[in-house]
Amino acid sequence: MDWLPSIDLPHLWDLVISQTPTPIPTPLSAPTKNFNDIELLKSQLEFLKATNGQLGESFNRFVAAMQFTLVVFAFLGGFLAFAVGKNLDDAKKVASQLINREVENKISDLVQSEVESVKRSLQRERVIGSTTVDYYLPSDDITEPDDCKLLRTRGFAKVRFWHQKRKPKKPVGDIFVLDLINSKLLEGQDFAGLSKDDARNKREDKVKTQIDLVLNWLDKATVLVIYIDGFSEEVKNLATRVDYYYVPANTSVTLIGIVADSAYVAEGQHNL
């Protein structure tokens, strides 16, 4: 659009006039139409010229602004290049020191965290490795349950298996497990034909009988783990009539975990 300023509007006007044919007598509307067309063309040319001037001024301001920005960036770039080049060795040394220090701190924190975790694990295993467990199955079946075997493989100092034909004698170990699940004592023919309430009462009587039996073998420092399936009012209310440490378990997983946790309680009792 740079060609617009070079247009000579008066010359263009003369050219337009010279190219206009000599009017032929026509109805009065024809001269009026030609005059209006010329005026429209003239106003359009004036508008284009004014617009071109505004665009040219805007473009020039944009170019000037960009030149100034480039000069500023070039100055800053040169300054930074000089500063970095002059202190490059020092910058490398400081950066290396900061990175090494941060890495050492992180590694130290991680190592310390792992050391504490290992110490806790070793302490836990030390307690378990010094704990004796007595496992009693109130049944004539002398076959050792898998749950008792799992406790033995867990790493306790000793796991002793007892049953009705070979009952434990004092003193017992640190933890005593009463197995009411594998004994089948709370199910079977003894409950056949009984109403729901009678079956529940009979079950509670059997639970109480077995708990009272093993309590006679326990020391005050021994933790009693009652391995029982389902809810029992007798187990729930046991704390109201005895002052022994006891805890129920209802699955193999919870049994292993509870016996391991009980080892801490037993150790604390021995250290009182």
Side-chain angles (χ1 to χ4, degrees):
M1 297 180 67
D2 292 339
W3 50 271
L4 287 176
S6 62
I7 297 177
D8 187 352
L9 289 179
H11 177 72
L12 179 60
W13 176 254
D14 294 338
L15 180 61
V16 171
I17 294 299
S18 65
Q19 295 298 321
T20 302
T22 305
I24 301 174
T26 58
L28 293 176
S29 60
T32 303
K33 180 179 180 180
N34 289 337
F35 179 78
N36 291 336
D37 291 341
I38 292 172
E39 288 296 326
L40 177 61
L41 178 60
K42 182 178 178 182
S43 63
Q44 289 175 345
L45 290 174
E46 291 290 347
F47 173 76
L48 289 175
K49 181 178 180 182
T51 302
N52 182 69
Q54 294 174 358
L55 291 175
E57 292 177 2
S58 298
F59 180 75
N60 290 336
R61 288 195 298 270
F62 172 75
V63 171
M66 289 300 299
Q67 289 175 342
F68 176 77
T69 302
L70 291 175
V71 170
V72 172
F73 279 147
F75 173 77
L76 292 176
F79 174 76
L80 292 175
F82 172 77
V84 173
K86 184 177 181 180
N87 301 285
L88 186 58
D89 291 338
D90 292 340
K92 287 182 177 179
K93 188 178 298 183
V94 171
S96 178
Q97 292 174 350
L98 291 176
I99 292 173
N100 289 336
R101 184 185 308 164
E102 189 66 21
V103 170
E104 289 175 358
N105 290 338
K106 292 297 183 183
I107 293 177
S108 178
D109 292 342
L110 289 174
V111 170
Q112 186 63 30
S113 176
E114 290 299 320
V115 168
E116 292 299 326
S117 177
V118 171
K119 286 171 62 177
R120 288 192 297 270
S121 298
L122 292 176
Q123 174 65 12
R124 179 182 178 87
E125 294 305 314
R126 186 193 66 78
V127 173
I128 291 175
S130 62
T131 300
T132 300
V133 179
D134 284 289
Y135 191 104
Y136 176 63
L137 180 69
S139 172
D140 292 335
D141 188 358
I142 61 174
T143 303
E144 183 175 318
D146 290 340
D147 297 298
C148 185
K149 296 176 182 178
L150 288 173
L151 287 174
R152 185 172 284 110
T153 59
R154 178 61 183 84
F156 291 95
K158 188 181 296 184
V159 177
R160 298 179 295 213
F161 174 59
W162 309 100
H163 46 80
Q164 282 188 334
K165 294 181 178 180
R166 184 169 174 264
K167 295 179 180 179
K169 298 179 176 62
K170 286 188 174 184
V172 296
D174 306 296
I175 300 173
F176 193 97
V177 178
L178 172 60
D179 185 353
L180 297 177
I181 291 182
N182 293 301
S183 67
K184 310 298 182 183
L185 188 68
L186 304 181
E187 59 185 59
Q189 291 299 321
D190 288 346
F191 298 89
L194 297 179
S195 66
K196 185 177 179 180
D197 290 340
D198 290 341
R200 182 176 63 252
N201 292 333
K202 188 176 186 64
R203 182 176 186 270
E204 292 297 331
D205 289 341
K206 285 179 174 287
V207 171
K208 183 178 184 302
T209 298
Q210 293 302 318
I211 291 177
D212 288 342
L213 174 65
V214 300
L215 286 176
N216 294 324
W217 301 329
L218 304 186
D219 296 325
K220 291 295 183 179
T222 303
V223 179
L224 172 62
V225 178
I226 304 171
Y227 191 29
I228 184 172
D229 184 23
F231 176 78
S232 170
E233 285 286 348
E234 184 61 33
V235 175
K236 176 185 175 183
N237 299 324
L238 185 58
T240 62
R241 65 186 186 91
V242 300
D243 57 354
Y244 289 85
Y245 288 99
Y246 74 95
V247 60
N250 57 10
T251 66
S252 297
V253 175
T254 57
L255 175 66
I256 304 302
I258 285 174
V259 173
D261 291 339
S262 298
Y264 280 102
V265 179
E267 183 190 42
Q269 283 294 304
H270 290 308
N271 294 332
L272 289 179

